[in-house]
Amino acid sequence: MTRRTILRDTLARTAGPPTLLVVSDSHAGSMLASAFEPTADVRLVTDHRSAAGQLPDGVQVTVGDVTSLETLADAVDADAAVVALRRDRQAVLVTQLLRTHFDLETVVAVLNDPQRREAVADIATTVVCGSTLLATELRREIERSLPAFEPA
């Protein structure tokens, strides 16, 4: 998959463990940070205290306003970032801040509305539609657990 290749290639180009910044306001961000933690220096920026409390010890956490430059300061030496916020407008703003203010080369933006993909395509390195991923995964699980829904 192209999205995975771009992020994996960016992280592989770093000397030592790569630094991945995850900006999220939900448990999806903490799960993503946990998934990358063994192989990368992971930093989570969130405004969701509950999500921040569910991380392995190796993940650095900053809790605050995710649109604030002070809160996003963890991006200064990051190799890549993933922005996964509940509100697409906020995700676009944070993606733009990371690319322009912090000069971050690789930013993956996770959006909820697939129709907003074009609006973010010029800002983010990669745009992923969370709604599409969720629907695909749910369909796969339903087909696997309920034989009546198996494809013909």
Side-chain angles (χ1 to χ4, degrees):
M1 231 179 163
T2 305
R3 289 181 286 276
R4 288 184 188 163
T5 304
I6 291 171
L7 185 57
R8 184 176 32 238
D9 290 348
T10 298
L11 294 176
R13 285 193 301 264
T14 63
T19 302
L20 176 65
L21 177 70
V22 177
V23 181
S24 180
D25 57 1
S26 70
H27 292 283
S30 59
M31 291 181 71
L32 180 64
S34 295
F36 274 97
E37 189 270 332
T39 57
D41 173 18
V42 182
R43 300 171 187 170
L44 174 67
V45 172
T46 185
D47 62 1
H48 196 287
R49 288 195 186 281
S50 175
Q54 298 179 354
L55 293 164
D57 292 337
V59 177
Q60 176 183 327
V61 180
T62 302
V63 179
D65 177 1
V66 296
T67 61
S68 161
L69 292 176
E70 292 80 22
T71 305
L72 292 172
D74 288 334
V76 169
D77 60 349
D79 297 303
V82 176
V83 179
L85 298 166
R86 284 181 251 170
R87 292 184 298 245
D88 286 349
R89 289 180 187 204
Q90 231 181 5
V92 172
L93 172 61
V94 170
T95 299
Q96 196 167 26
L97 289 171
L98 293 173
R99 291 296 304 265
T100 58
H101 188 77
F102 295 101
D103 200 30
L104 199 56
E105 184 179 324
T106 303
V107 179
V108 177
V110 181
L111 300 179
N112 297 303
D113 184 348
Q115 294 182 348
R116 293 194 172 128
R117 179 182 291 271
E118 281 186 41
V120 184
D122 291 342
I123 302 167
T125 312
T126 304
V127 180
V128 176
C129 180
S131 301
T132 303
L133 292 175
L134 178 61
T136 302
E137 184 65 21
L138 285 171
R139 180 183 175 131
R140 185 178 304 129
E141 289 300 317
I142 290 168
E143 288 173 348
R144 193 171 57 121
S145 8
L146 302 173
F149 286 100
E150 287 183 14

